[in-house]
Amino acid sequence: MNLPAILPCCFNRLHCSPSITPPTHFLRFVIRKKGSVVCRLSDNNKDDDSVQDNNSHQPLENTSLENNDGPQPDQQTGLEDGTDVQVASGSPLPGVKVPQQLNESIRIPKETVEILRNQVFSFDTFFVTSQEPYEGGVLFNGNLRGQAAKTYEKVSKRMQEKLGDDYKLFLLINPEDDKPVAVVVPRMTLQPETTAVPEWFAAGAFGLVTVFTLLLRNVPALQSNLLSVFDNLDLLKDGLPGALITAFLLGVHEVSHHLVATEVGIKLGIPYFVPSWQIGCFGAITRILNVVPNREDLLKVAAAGPLAGFSVGFILLLSGFILPPSDGIGIIVDPSVFHESFLAGGIAKLLLGDVLQEGSPISVNPLVIWAWAGLVINAINSIPAGELDGGRIAFAMWGRKASARLSAFSIGLLGISSLFNDVAFYWLVLIFFLQRGPIAPLSEELTHPQNKYMALGVVVLFLGLLVCLPYPFPFSNQPAL
């Protein structure tokens, strides 16, 4: 997408969990039993003749395991009576840091595993066929009975009655075979990652720099010579109206996220507004601080910001076209700039009519440019990639595997665009390092959102396409020769 030089566009917010890069599949775990190490993969029970003890560096005498589908409880846990399950330490969720006191190992008593298997899970909820330690907890394979949402509620309530609040249940899809699995982990492993610098201090510092770059982006006289800014600080006030409109649209976007998140019980961190010398602002990075309950709640929160931003930006864009520019306030633009957006070009053609002719510059209300910037902010943020709002919307609607493929496709297209546009290149870099995902597991990922929320998600993605796609038709009433 080629952005016109006069367009003071900003790219919108990034939801980010800047912590551990998560695995995309179930990982290898280790069970220590009487001085030996037994290694297995969660996606199969194949023998592994190459595994060695990390302490002695000697080959294991027995590195194979029998299939866990047998009826023997001890075989299913892989341990003898009286022993505890001890698994390699690690975060059970992407973006969650394991507490330091658990770095060496996390012990799960065998008695607790038996309670989970025989008293918490049941034939009418989730019939367990096998179990295996997984990333600080226990992964149960089995057959889901009934609706996933109701099953999750029943099992969670039963687990709380039997074991208190010490454990957390996840009902997920195994990416290897697309079958439901239940994962139970200690709640102490779900501590959010802390930062060395207080969040409010870092967010405030980024915010101050962003204010400066927003002002600078709306003063074309200073953009050609950046160093001249320090000798002409008074000129920055000329960029105040445009900066205020952009900041207002960013604020509407962020506030909408926080309001809906509060309603559904999701905790969001302080937004970090990211400054940009090229476009003024790349939006805000906002962390999700707790586990999202289900896909519908994630869809509500992810779609709230773009929907609010699109709504306000669309109203301002219409107002800019309808209100004639005052003398000395209008901005002279070439009609070719409206070819950069199908939505902006279509509205311009509809409202301006014959005034809009190829090669004939026109004067427009600057509100058009500022509103267009707000629409671009939300459209770029609605790209279904990584942990952008669009990526989370795609995940909530179509699931983890489909959204991962769509994300890879979108990032690939953005990579091609970056060959021709430096703004697309910077945006691609930000996505790759901060937002490429995958999204942290939800408490229950099997249940699809209601149709009305699915429709809202489709609207967001569709509006994003309309803003980003070019307007291909000429602005002329003259018949083609």
Side-chain angles (χ1 to χ4, degrees), residues 421-433:
N421 188 289
D422 59 342
V423 175
F425 172 76
Y426 289 118
W427 185 243
L428 177 64
V429 171
L430 281 175
I431 294 177
F432 184 80
F433 285 101

Side-chain angles (χ1 to χ4, degrees), residues 94-378:
V96 179
K97 184 178 182 180
V98 177
Q100 292 297 323
Q101 63 267 27
L102 299 177
N103 273 350
E104 292 185 1
S105 65
I106 302 174
R107 290 181 176 273
I108 301 179
K110 177 187 175 183
E111 292 77 11
T112 300
V113 176
E114 291 300 320
I115 291 175
L116 289 170
R117 180 184 177 91
N118 300 322
Q119 301 181 36
V120 173
F121 296 103
S122 61
F123 182 81
D124 63 336
T125 57
F126 187 86
F127 181 72
V128 177
T129 58
S130 65
Q131 64 204 42
E132 50 201 51
Y134 166 67
E135 287 294 290
V138 181
L139 184 147
F140 294 92
N141 296 295
N143 300 317
L144 179 67
R145 310 292 190 181
Q147 298 180 357
K150 292 183 178 180
T151 295
Y152 182 87
E153 183 179 356
K154 290 180 181 179
V155 175
S156 295
K157 182 178 180 180
R158 197 174 297 164
M159 187 171 66
Q160 186 177 26
E161 293 174 351
K162 299 294 183 180
L163 302 173
D165 294 327
D166 294 336
Y167 298 93
K168 170 67 177 176
L169 170 69
F170 293 89
L171 196 57
L172 311 174
I173 292 290
N174 189 328
E176 301 295 335
D177 54 16
D178 294 329
K179 294 182 179 180
V181 294
V183 178
V184 178
V185 299
R187 285 189 181 273
M188 63 175 53
T189 64
L190 304 180
Q191 301 297 326
E193 184 182 16
T194 58
T195 57
V197 180
E199 288 192 3
W200 62 267
F201 179 81
F206 278 98
L208 289 176
V209 179
T210 301
V211 170
F212 174 74
T213 55
L214 285 174
L215 292 171
L216 178 65
R217 182 57 187 144
N218 288 279
V219 185
L222 297 178
Q223 295 175 20
S224 58
N225 187 359
L226 187 60
L227 296 179
S228 66
V229 172
F230 301 100
D231 297 328
N232 300 277
L233 291 176
D234 292 339
L235 291 179
L236 288 178
K237 65 182 181 181
D238 296 337
L240 185 60
L244 288 176
I245 293 297
T246 303
F248 173 68
L249 291 171
L250 286 171
V252 167
H253 186 110
E254 292 300 321
V255 169
S256 299
H257 278 306
H258 280 267
L259 289 177
V260 176
T262 301
E263 181 181 352
V264 299
I266 297 176
K267 298 179 182 179
L268 300 181
I270 301 174
Y272 289 76
F273 289 96
V274 182
S276 170
W277 292 109
Q278 296 82 15
I279 57 176
C281 178
F282 281 112
I285 297 174
T286 305
R287 299 175 61 196
I288 295 180
L289 302 180
N290 62 342
V291 179
V292 179
N294 51 59
R295 288 161 56 182
E296 184 171 296
D297 288 343
L298 180 65
L299 179 56
K300 292 178 182 178
V301 175
L307 281 175
F310 279 131
S311 300
V312 175
F314 185 73
I315 292 174
L316 293 178
L317 183 67
L318 289 178
S319 301
F321 279 118
I322 295 174
L323 298 175
S326 304
D327 293 338
I329 298 181
I331 297 179
I332 305 298
V333 299
D334 190 282
S336 62
V337 301
F338 293 112
H339 285 293
E340 303 298 332
S341 169
F342 192 95
L343 181 65
I347 294 176
K349 180 60 179 177
L350 178 65
L351 298 181
L352 298 182
D354 295 338
V355 176
L356 198 63
Q357 297 290 330
E358 298 288 354
S360 300
I362 61 174
S363 177
V364 298
N365 193 310
L367 189 58
V368 171
I369 304 301
W370 302 333
W372 190 354
L375 291 173
V376 172
I377 288 173
N378 288 274

Side-chain angles (χ1 to χ4, degrees), residues 452-466:
K452 60 181 179 180
Y453 298 115
M454 295 279 285
L456 291 179
V458 172
V459 168
V460 171
L461 299 180
F462 181 69
L463 288 176
L465 276 178
L466 288 181

